Amino acid sequence: MAKNDMKQRVGAAIQTARKRRGLVQRNIADPLGTTVAAVGMWESGKNLPSTENLIKTAEILRVDPAALGRGEVVYLDDVGLADAEVISDPGPPPSGPMDVKVMGVTYGGDDGDFTFNGEIAGYVRRPAGIATVPNVFALHVLSDSMVPRYDPGEVIYCGGRDPIPGDHVVIETFPDQEGQVGKSFIKKLLRRTGSEIIVQQYNPPAELTFDRYAVKNLWRVIPLKELIGF
């Protein structure tokens, strides 16, 4: 494999594992005694970490170091792994078919994955069925917990009305620790009580409960039939 391809694979593996662990780049940089910018360069595939830093990064992310060195992610445990990452901000829809914004970023954010630089890096296409729906945003699916409904790498859209039982939802939780980001999970909403949100997971099949007071946001995933206008 070409060296540049290996850089890309290792960088993507580090980024995916970090985001699924609910960590920010500083959570890797500080224990390693390096900079957030350096971690950003690894994740973007511009540089490879040294063998020592790769092993330490694997320890922080609780993944197999040998697999990480091959650009693969093998989790040593699956405790609290997030299912999704937000790739656009909620907001009123501008005009045009490619109008769900993906904002440009710079490396070096002290308290997050990145710092917004105010520039638009690209767009996610807005399907015709939600052309006039405000406050729509997009997500990348990271895990296989909702296969066969949602596959890793798939782009899904959230917004529209408030979720009701039977909807697929994205649950954003508050961060576990200061300096981290909250994790997002894709599940099927079964019911809500005054203190709990009960959901269904497909893979492996399970019924899960979230503490309502640990949930920052609950968004409905817009189904395909609405996206295409039915």
Side-chain angles (χ1 to χ4, degrees):
M1 181 182 296
K3 186 174 182 179
N4 284 341
D5 291 340
M6 180 57 69
K7 288 180 182 179
Q8 293 289 338
R9 290 190 59 174
V10 172
I14 292 172
Q15 184 180 70
T16 296
R18 174 180 63 77
K19 289 184 175 182
R20 292 203 66 196
R21 290 294 185 195
L23 302 177
V24 296
Q25 290 176 345
R26 183 160 295 282
N27 297 140
I28 296 176
D30 286 350
L32 268 55
T34 189
T35 64
V36 171
V39 176
M41 295 290 277
W42 300 342
E43 291 191 355
S44 66
K46 293 182 173 62
N47 284 324
L48 277 171
S50 66
T51 300
E52 180 182 3
N53 280 339
L54 182 73
I55 293 171
K56 289 181 178 178
T57 298
E59 290 177 357
I60 295 167
L61 298 175
R62 305 199 303 280
V63 298
D64 180 79
L68 190 63
R70 298 191 300 269
E72 302 169 3
V73 182
V74 177
Y75 297 101
L76 301 182
D77 64 74
D78 59 0
V79 178
L81 288 174
D83 288 338
E85 63 164 318
V86 176
I87 58 171
S88 70
D89 286 339
S95 60
M98 294 282 288
D99 63 1
V100 180
K101 295 179 181 178
V102 180
M103 300 303 294
V105 301
T106 57
Y107 295 117
D110 287 340
D111 56 359
D113 285 359
F114 41 69
T115 301
F116 285 104
N117 62 17
E119 297 179 0
I120 299 171
Y123 296 87
V124 180
R125 184 174 298 279
R126 179 182 293 270
I130 58 170
T132 61
V133 177
N135 301 322
V136 170
F137 63 97
L139 294 171
H140 270 146
V141 178
L142 296 177
S143 80
D144 60 1
S145 72
M146 294 301 282
V147 171
R149 184 62 182 264
Y150 301 113
D151 293 319
E154 188 172 347
V155 174
I156 61 175
Y157 295 82
C158 297
R161 61 168 172 78
D162 291 335
I164 60 174
D167 287 335
H168 289 86
V169 295
V170 170
I171 304 162
E172 181 190 14
T173 62
F174 289 103
D176 295 329
Q177 299 178 23
E178 185 177 354
Q180 295 185 358
V181 293
K183 299 173 184 176
S184 295
F185 303 89
I186 308 169
K187 308 297 175 192
K188 184 176 182 179
L189 180 62
L190 297 179
R191 59 191 180 276
R192 285 186 273 192
T193 70
S195 60
E196 294 180 332
I197 297 174
I198 300 93
V199 298
Q200 179 183 0
Q201 174 177 285
Y202 293 161
N203 184 36
E207 183 174 302
L208 306 175
T209 299
F210 287 81
D211 180 350
R212 200 160 184 169
Y213 299 103
V215 173
K216 182 178 180 181
N217 287 301
L218 183 68
W219 296 295
R220 180 182 70 118
V221 178
I222 302 174
L224 178 61
K225 64 181 180 180
E226 289 186 33
L227 295 177
I228 62 178
F230 288 95

